[in-house]
Amino acid sequence: MMFTTRLLKVLLLMCFSYPIVAQTVVWNVQGIPDKLKEKAHAVIRTDENLLIVKNEGFLTRKKHTVITILDEEGLKYGHLYIDYNKLSKVTDLEGVLYDAAGNKLRKLKKEEIKDIGNVSETNLFDDYRYKSVQFNYANFPFTVEYSYEVSDKRMAYYESWFPGDDTDDVSVQASSLQIEMPANMQLRYKEINGVASVEKSQNGANTVYKWKVSNLPIKAHEPYAPAWSERGPGVWTAPATFEMDGYKGDFSTWQKVGEFDNLLNKGRETLPPRVVNEIQSLVKGETTQEAKVKKVYEYLQQHTRYISIQLGIGGLQPFEASLVAEKGYGDCKALSFFTKAMLKTIGVESHYASIKAGEATADILTDFPAQQFNHVILCVPMPKDTIWLECTSQTNPFGYLSNFTANRHTLLATPTGGVLVKTPALSAKDNQVSRKVKMELGADGSAKAKIDANFKGIFYDDVVGLIHENNQEKTTTSLLKSFYLGNAQLSKIALQENRDKIPSVQIAFDADLKKLTSPSGSRLFVTPSIFYKEDGVPSSGSEPRTMDVELFNNISYNDEIEIQLPTYQAVEALPTDVSFTSKFGTFQVKYQLQGTKLLLTRKFTRNNGKYKANEFAELIDFYKKISKADRAQMVLKL
């Protein structure tokens, strides 16, 4: 992945370097309003962020932050990380520790500042490093104060300020963002979610922009709430024009952002003659463009692997295609660009596509051109359709976008600049679980079942790892949990992958349930939909809902179950059919008794979408009705 997401998150914690002068402010815990301590594990006393833009190629980020840690669960908020690389330098890092009364205990020691390289199993090359700071102290409550400065040439990134970030246990007493711009430079910004309008002033010839908030209590966790950047008060900022590591850029329009990507990629797509010959030979017998693209994609998967590489111009520039060909690895940028270069050798046009990826991740702000992306994929236009390629996966089916990148905006770096388009959405039919069960029920409550299930789309994403890992114990554990089988004995487990554009995994197995249910006297109580429990009923909480509701994926379930009943005298109770429709989806379950067999069909579709906070009660009711239907029992008199 690109560096952007991590940088944006770190920058939320970076900026105001005031020399720490003890006793100018007494950080007594008694100075925290009671409402800010309610259910909080930490309180941000002040968080002052300052960005001083010197010119198009250089700026200074400063930060001064004071955090009171109320208990053990708040300790993580006293841990500070500052990242830097060859384009930036951390200076003037100081820290002070205070007791509950605000008395200074000691200053941060030099040996407590750790300098950490960012190399891991999936991050082979990285010129980013971290300053990591934490006081080894736990006499609650206590307060930490940090102040530092970063000299920075990473000019594609300004500040994104969302006080409190996406946490539900930290309150904010005061926070501010201040940006100082030269007279000849434009600051682009977007205020969202009700933040107070900017305060403008002059500092000599420079224009000063300032935003501030105060006394923000904790945001109680509410299920299905949108990301904090979509609902919390904050500001996005970005440059208009800038220079970074010798490259001049302009982010005033999406077209210009794409032009900057083209500039970074220019002259880097030359491939070794060996690879050119291999690719051209590989597609020689293919008669369609799509078939040729598929061959190239399979070649990519067989000859490369993903490694995160954060080198050069802030992690924005891909490796040369020739280097990927030589080494056999690359990050999302490099692998996508390498694929683009291979397709060019066979006359197929494609576009480098920047995207903000992640399951249940908020989309970009489409009306605010900026470097908002954290990933790169490849777009291959076709006469009748468009092919999208996830180039970091060695196992992804050709043309498949999971919910990691589906249904969100992506910036195509076309020959004429950036073009913002949206990746295809996955429908409920695409994201589907189909299950068929044949079961023999014993009079003692035991049962033997044959289960055949198909997991498609995002559900494929959940289970395909079982095939690639080939771990029998893990597979068994996963199936027992997914089908609510308790400690049943499983046998004849078979998994088969279908690698269509909307891929699926077929899973078949036998289950021996020693105690599906227990007889009660001469009666047997049976829950026919034992394998289909809807256990996702959200909690209403003790407080009124305040946040909107966001359901990310369209999903559907189509289920059939056939139960061979034991010898019985009578069916004393048979569950009634249930059918209802809501703005959130539809649900239907039917029961049919055919001689000594009970047939059940169940269909459930849930829609994605955004809904108002006052509609949450309807969502709870929707799920409760499904849960109640799934718990319905039949009663046999034996």
Side-chain angles (χ1 to χ4, degrees), residues 92-106:
D92 300 328
L93 174 55
E94 301 179 41
V96 175
L97 176 67
Y98 300 93
D99 65 14
N103 298 311
K104 174 182 173 182
L105 297 177
R106 65 178 179 86

Side-chain angles (χ1 to χ4, degrees), residues 403-419:
N403 63 343
F404 189 64
T405 50
N407 195 30
R408 62 195 66 207
H409 287 88
T410 178
L411 184 70
L412 307 183
T414 74
T416 58
V419 177

Side-chain angles (χ1 to χ4, degrees), residues 381-558:
M382 290 280 115
K384 294 184 179 179
D385 201 357
T386 297
I387 299 172
W388 296 92
L389 300 178
E390 172 55 71
C391 298
T392 61
S393 172
Q394 292 177 287
T395 59
N396 231 50
F398 171 69
Y400 172 60
L401 292 183
S402 67
N403 63 343
F404 189 64
T405 50
N407 195 30
R408 62 195 66 207
H409 287 88
T410 178
L411 184 70
L412 307 183
T414 74
T416 58
V419 177
L420 205 61
V421 301
K422 202 166 188 181
T423 57
L426 295 171
S427 68
K429 187 177 179 181
D430 295 329
N431 297 326
Q432 186 177 91
V433 176
S434 299
R435 296 170 288 203
K436 293 185 177 181
V437 179
K438 288 190 174 182
M439 183 169 66
E440 293 183 9
L441 180 64
D444 60 352
S446 65
K448 295 183 182 297
K450 290 185 177 295
I451 301 172
D452 194 344
N454 185 273
F455 294 81
K456 189 177 178 185
I458 64 169
F459 299 109
Y460 160 88
D461 299 335
D462 293 338
V463 300
V464 69
L466 298 176
I467 292 179
H468 298 302
E469 291 179 27
N470 194 26
N471 183 316
Q472 187 71 24
E473 182 178 351
K474 185 173 181 179
T475 297
T476 299
T477 300
S478 177
L479 294 178
L480 289 173
K481 183 177 180 181
S482 298
F483 288 87
Y484 306 96
L485 294 172
N487 60 354
Q489 298 296 312
L490 305 189
S491 61
K492 298 181 181 179
I493 299 174
L495 291 80
Q496 182 177 340
E497 182 181 9
N498 178 352
R499 296 176 62 81
D500 289 342
K501 283 191 176 180
I502 305 298
S504 63
V505 171
Q506 195 78 22
I507 301 178
F509 61 94
D510 290 355
D512 187 357
L513 298 93
K514 300 299 183 184
K515 195 175 182 182
L516 175 64
T517 186
S518 297
S520 177
S522 61
R523 289 172 175 79
L524 192 63
F525 294 81
V526 183
T527 305
S529 57
I530 182 67
F531 305 106
Y532 315 136
K533 294 179 183 177
E534 178 49 64
D535 56 359
V537 180
S539 169
S540 60
S542 58
E543 301 293 333
R545 177 84 181 194
T546 62
M547 303 174 195
D548 287 347
V549 177
E550 185 167 14
L551 305 178
F552 271 95
N553 298 303
N554 297 301
I555 57 175
S556 63
Y557 296 85
N558 288 329

Side-chain angles (χ1 to χ4, degrees), residues 128 140 177 216 239 281 300 308 314 351 366 370 404 419 428 495 547:
Y128 283 90
F140 306 106
L177 169 65
L216 301 180
S281 175
L300 169 80
S308 177
H351 303 309
T366 57
F404 189 64
V419 177
L495 291 80
M547 303 174 195

Side-chain angles (χ1 to χ4, degrees), residues 288-290 292-293 296 339-351 379-382 387:
T288 67
Q289 291 286 75
E290 182 171 342
K292 292 178 181 180
V293 175
V296 171
T339 309
K340 174 180 170 63
M342 289 191 292
L343 291 174
K344 184 178 180 181
T345 67
I346 58 172
V348 176
E349 180 186 36
S350 61
H351 303 309
C379 172
V380 189
M382 290 280 115
I387 299 172

Side-chain angles (χ1 to χ4, degrees), residues 279-416:
I279 295 302
Q280 292 179 345
S281 175
L282 188 67
V283 303
K284 197 170 184 179
E286 302 299 338
T287 58
T288 67
Q289 291 286 75
E290 182 171 342
K292 292 178 181 180
V293 175
K294 185 176 182 181
K295 285 286 188 181
V296 171
Y297 185 67
E298 291 171 347
Y299 178 92
L300 169 80
Q301 291 182 310
Q302 293 164 9
H303 290 82
T304 65
R305 63 190 178 99
Y306 170 78
I307 292 289
S308 177
I309 301 169
Q310 307 297 345
L311 292 176
I313 192 165
L316 291 176
Q317 190 175 54
F319 272 3
E320 295 91 340
S322 59
L323 189 57
V324 177
E326 175 190 345
K327 300 295 185 182
Y329 55 70
D331 61 8
C332 63
K333 304 180 301 296
L335 295 175
S336 297
F337 192 66
F338 176 59
T339 309
K340 174 180 170 63
M342 289 191 292
L343 291 174
K344 184 178 180 181
T345 67
I346 58 172
V348 176
E349 180 186 36
S350 61
H351 303 309
Y352 187 86
S354 300
I355 194 167
K356 187 177 179 183
E359 296 181 14
T361 297
D363 201 355
I364 63 168
L365 297 174
T366 57
D367 60 350
F368 189 70
Q371 180 48 257
Q372 299 183 46
F373 310 104
N374 64 0
H375 190 51
V376 171
I377 57 178
L378 196 67
C379 172
V380 189
M382 290 280 115
K384 294 184 179 179
D385 201 357
T386 297
I387 299 172
W388 296 92
L389 300 178
E390 172 55 71
C391 298
T392 61
S393 172
Q394 292 177 287
T395 59
N396 231 50
F398 171 69
Y400 172 60
L401 292 183
S402 67
N403 63 343
F404 189 64
T405 50
N407 195 30
R408 62 195 66 207
H409 287 88
T410 178
L411 184 70
L412 307 183
T414 74
T416 58

